[in-house]
């Protein structure tokens, strides 16, 4: 990574963490819509978004209410989703899908098994629904906006 990519990753991580923490009431919980998850479309524009999103999620989860399990599982879900989203960059409508699937399965399972939230399928469904709102309703318009600045981000 060159200096530009390191700076991009740092900015992406910082914005993700700040948005998650500032909007904590809707960012954490069995029914959550992390507005910051709209940023998970950014791997379509720059590889720096992959570590940036991972670090931003890691920091947000350190400061969140769920402890070490969420720090590990939630951050892993974000990293895995970012890697797959990067590979799907030539299919814009699919770019937001990996965060919906990975977070729905991993974070939903975590909430059920580690924290006793009842109903495994309900947990996964609610997390996936919140992700779908963030990643498609907010992320797709963000993709259209970022597409105008693609040359700056690449």
């Amino acid at each position: 990574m060159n200096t530009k990519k390191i700076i991009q990753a740092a900015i992406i991580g910082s914005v993700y963490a700040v948005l998650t923490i500032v909007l904590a009431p809707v960012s954490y919980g069995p029914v959550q819509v992390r507005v910051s998850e709209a940023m998970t479309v950014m791997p379509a524009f720059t590889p720096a978004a992959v570590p940036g999103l991972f670090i931003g999620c890691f920091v947000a989860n350190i400061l969140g209410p769920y402890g070490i399990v969420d720090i590990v599982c939630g951050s892993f879900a974000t990293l895995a989703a970012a890697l797959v989203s990067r590979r799907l960059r030539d299919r814009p409508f699919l770019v937001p899908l990996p965060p919906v699937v990975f977070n729905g399965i991993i974070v939903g399972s975590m909430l059920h098994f580690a924290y006793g939230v009842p109903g495994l399928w309900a947990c996964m469904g609610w997390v996936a629904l919140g992700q779908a709102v963030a990643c498609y309703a907010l992320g797709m318009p963000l993709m259209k906006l970022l597409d105008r600045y693609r040359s700056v981000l690449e």
Side-chain angles (χ1 to χ4, degrees):
M1 282 184 109
N2 61 27
T3 304
K4 177 181 175 182
K5 297 298 182 201
I6 292 169
I7 292 169
Q8 284 178 340
I11 291 169
I12 290 166
S14 299
V15 171
Y16 181 100
V18 168
L19 275 174
T20 302
I21 295 160
V22 167
L23 300 172
V26 295
S27 295
Y28 303 102
V31 180
Q32 62 180 323
V33 177
R34 279 194 181 184
V35 173
S36 55
E37 286 290 305
M39 296 176 66
T40 61
V41 300
M42 295 187 81
F45 300 96
T46 176
V50 174
L53 291 168
F54 171 71
I55 292 166
C57 182
F58 186 81
V59 169
N61 289 343
I62 287 173
L63 299 172
Y66 291 109
I68 191 69
V69 176
D70 192 32
I71 294 166
V72 173
C73 294
S75 301
F76 170 75
T78 297
L79 177 60
L83 288 166
V84 175
S85 290
R86 177 73 185 155
R87 294 191 60 115
L88 293 171
R89 66 185 175 271
D90 294 330
R91 297 184 175 143
F93 191 75
L94 294 179
V95 169
L97 187 59
V100 174
V101 173
F102 280 95
N103 281 285
I105 293 169
I106 295 170
V107 174
S109 296
M110 177 200 76
L111 291 171
H112 176 72
F113 291 113
Y115 298 106
V117 178
L120 173 61
W121 294 106
C123 285
M124 290 191 295
W126 283 114
V127 172
L129 179 62
Q131 285 292 121
V133 169
C135 297
Y136 278 96
L138 301 175
M140 291 300 285
L142 179 61
M143 278 185 78
K144 290 185 188 290
L145 176 68
L146 291 175
D147 198 45
R148 295 180 189 170
Y149 304 99
R150 183 176 292 275
S151 62
V152 175
L153 293 169
E154 292 177 335

